[in-house]
Each structure stands twice: as structure tokens, then as C-alpha cells.
Amino acid sequence: METKMEKGFPAPLFRDPIFDGASDPTVIWNKKEACYYMFYTQRRSTSVQVGFSSIHGSKIGVATSTDKKGWLYRGTLENLDIEHGHNTFWAPEIFEANGTYHMYVSYITGIPTTWEYPRHILHYTSENLWDWTYQSTLQLSSERVIDACVYEVCPGVYKMWYKDENHDSHIYAAQSTDLYQWEVVGEEISDCSQEGPNVFELGGKKWMICDCWKGLSAYVSDDFTNWKRCPCNLLVGPGKDPSDQTNGHHADILVENGEAEIYYFTGQYPEDCADVGLRALTAVQGCMLYAEDDKLCCVR
């Protein structure tokens, strides 16, 4: 019988071979190609840094795998721009519904060197995970929203959670019955500022994790609306691998056959590293995730 430690993933799980700044991963099964796809924010970590420029100007990177252990870089998603110029794409949320793939991705015009610019969530659809058609720019609770997570909370009813930076970076929610028209239902997590919500079911319960910059906060719910904070954060501090040197950040959960895997990113060097260039390098990591009573745990 496998123990939790015997199910560990390689570390790092994936490094972006172009800019070495893989972050915000999401993993999905591609039925047509019979393999897993990882989509991620391709941070320009090794590019020139002017203010916060290397955090912006990112494309959505793509890697594939047949076993979720070894990942092959395949390039970036092209033709996503809705206006001229070099623009910014972050944190894709991608899933399949009724035979169509949907992507909700954070978008910023251009390559800002500061944080003071509008941010929106764009909706795209695809039949093959490569060719995407722009559908709309979502009208949500403010002009500074990022990090969408979408989950079917009951048959034909979808809920989206996201970070609203104009409202103390709390987690807000919207609801839809067709994935195209969304109605904001308001603030849902307000105990602290955080980002990157991800909602899933495991062990008969409903869970949300968020990146609170002190590891990952975790919440449990009976109804996908009222959330109870779990006592302990996940992925606090560095891991044991030399590439895993910070808190875990912005994670995705893949649940298959009753088992869960968590994909997250970390800095490759400690947060107090004197070299700013090295501090910018990130990598995707992975491990198993377990539900035990009213808490989550993972073996890093």
C-alpha cells in the first residue's frame, strides 16, 4: 500500500525554458490528444526589469505530459489579443463544459511598470485547447479583478470566484447558468486580502484554497457560499528541494478518482535573496493533497 510520502512528484515539476518564470498553473486532461495540458503564466523573469515590467507582458504558456511527472514545453497561446500591442495575460482558468473548453484569463493592456492599471477577466472558448475565440470582457464588481476560478456548483449552475483589488483584495463571486452571462453575487471571503482562489470537492466536502502570501489559506463549506477558515495554512515556508525556496503560491487542484493533486508555484531562491534577478525566478511544483476531517494537508 502506498504511503503519502511515496506519491511525491519530481521537484521542480516544471520550469519555463524561455524566461524561467512559470507561475499560476492549471492542469486539464485533453481528451483528443490523450494527455494532460498545463497552462500557466509565462512571467518574463529573465527579461529587463523596469519597475514591475517583468511581471507584466506575460503570455500563457503550454506544457504537456502523459504521466503528470515529465512535462514538455509546447509554446504559448497565440492570437488572444483583443487590441494592438504587447499586452499582459495572467492566471488562466480552463475547463470543459458540454464539449467546449472555456478559458477565463486575467488581462491588462500593455506592459505596465507600476500596479495602477485596470485589470479585467476575459472569456474565450475553444474546441482543441489551442485555437481560442474571444467571447467577452466580463463586467464584474470593479475594474481591477483577476484570478478567476469557475466550478459547477449544481447541474447547470456555475459559480466564479475572483480577487477584487478595488475591494481590499477580497474574494468576490459571480454566478451563471450559461458561462457567458454572469451576475455578481458579492463579497464571499473577507477575513484577509488574498488571490488565486480555487474551489473543488474532496472527501465529500467543498473546499476553497487561496494564496494569502503566507502559504495557502483553506476554507470548507456546505453550500459553496458560506466558508469556514481552516486552522492551518498549506505550503508555508520553503520545501526541501533547492528549487522550492518560498511559500507555495497560486495553486490549482486536480481531482481524479477520488484523489487530489495540488499544482502550485514557488520562488527558486529565498525571498530574502540579495540578487533581484534570482529572486524573480519561479517554478511549478506538485504534490498530493488530502482531506482529513475539516482540514487539508499535503506532503510537499
Side-chain angles (χ1 to χ4, degrees), residues 166-186:
N166 277 357
H167 291 93
D168 299 316
S169 292
H170 290 170
I171 303 302
Y172 272 62
Q175 193 161 294
S176 175
T177 56
D178 64 3
L179 294 170
Y180 293 86
Q181 303 296 320
W182 292 88
E183 179 181 355
V184 175
V185 296

Side-chain angles (χ1 to χ4, degrees), residues 38-250:
M38 178 192 295
F39 298 89
Y40 62 95
T41 304
Q42 189 185 56
R43 285 188 182 178
R44 301 181 307 113
S45 295
T46 53
S47 61
V48 173
Q49 176 76 296
V50 180
F52 296 103
S53 63
S54 70
I55 299 295
H56 299 99
S58 47
K59 295 185 176 182
I60 300 304
V62 185
T64 59
S65 176
T66 57
D67 60 6
K68 296 176 289 185
K69 301 294 193 295
W71 291 88
L72 174 66
Y73 177 73
R74 297 284 300 277
T76 59
L77 296 183
E78 303 299 331
N79 302 315
L80 296 182
D81 280 304
I82 60 172
E83 58 187 320
H84 295 302
H86 187 157
N87 301 299
T88 300
F89 292 87
W90 284 348
E93 164 74 330
I94 298 177
F95 63 97
E96 183 188 12
N98 302 317
T100 297
Y101 294 107
H102 293 261
M103 174 167 65
Y104 298 89
V105 63
S106 307
Y107 176 78
I108 305 167
T109 299
I111 304 179
T113 59
T114 67
W115 297 119
E116 291 79 25
Y117 283 83
R119 304 174 182 183
H120 296 93
I121 294 172
L122 309 187
H123 178 207
Y124 295 80
T125 56
S126 174
E127 301 303 317
N128 59 12
L129 290 175
W130 281 107
D131 303 301
W132 293 90
T133 300
Y134 168 75
Q135 297 294 337
S136 70
T137 299
L138 302 191
Q139 302 303 305
L140 297 170
S141 50
S142 85
E143 295 298 301
R144 287 179 59 85
V145 295
I146 62 171
D147 296 351
C149 164
V150 177
Y151 197 81
E152 188 174 18
V153 296
C154 63
V157 177
Y158 297 88
K159 198 165 184 180
M160 173 185 293
W161 294 266
Y162 57 91
K163 174 190 180 185
D164 188 331
E165 295 185 338
N166 277 357
H167 291 93
D168 299 316
S169 292
H170 290 170
I171 303 302
Y172 272 62
Q175 193 161 294
S176 175
T177 56
D178 64 3
L179 294 170
Y180 293 86
Q181 303 296 320
W182 292 88
E183 179 181 355
V184 175
V185 296
E187 183 182 78
E188 203 151 288
I189 303 287
S190 60
D191 61 328
C192 67
S193 299
Q194 49 193 336
E195 62 189 11
N198 193 273
V199 172
F200 59 99
E201 293 180 84
L202 183 66
K205 295 185 178 181
K206 303 163 181 62
W207 306 92
M208 179 192 294
I209 58 168
C210 300
D211 182 355
C212 62
W213 311 297
K214 297 177 181 179
L216 304 179
S217 57
Y219 301 83
V220 64
S221 174
D222 293 324
D223 57 5
F224 290 111
T225 297
N226 298 289
W227 298 93
K228 175 186 175 183
R229 179 79 178 257
C230 300
C232 298
N233 290 356
L234 301 171
L235 302 173
V236 177
K240 296 179 180 179
D241 189 81
S243 69
D244 187 1
Q245 290 298 303
T246 66
N247 293 318
H249 292 288
H250 196 128

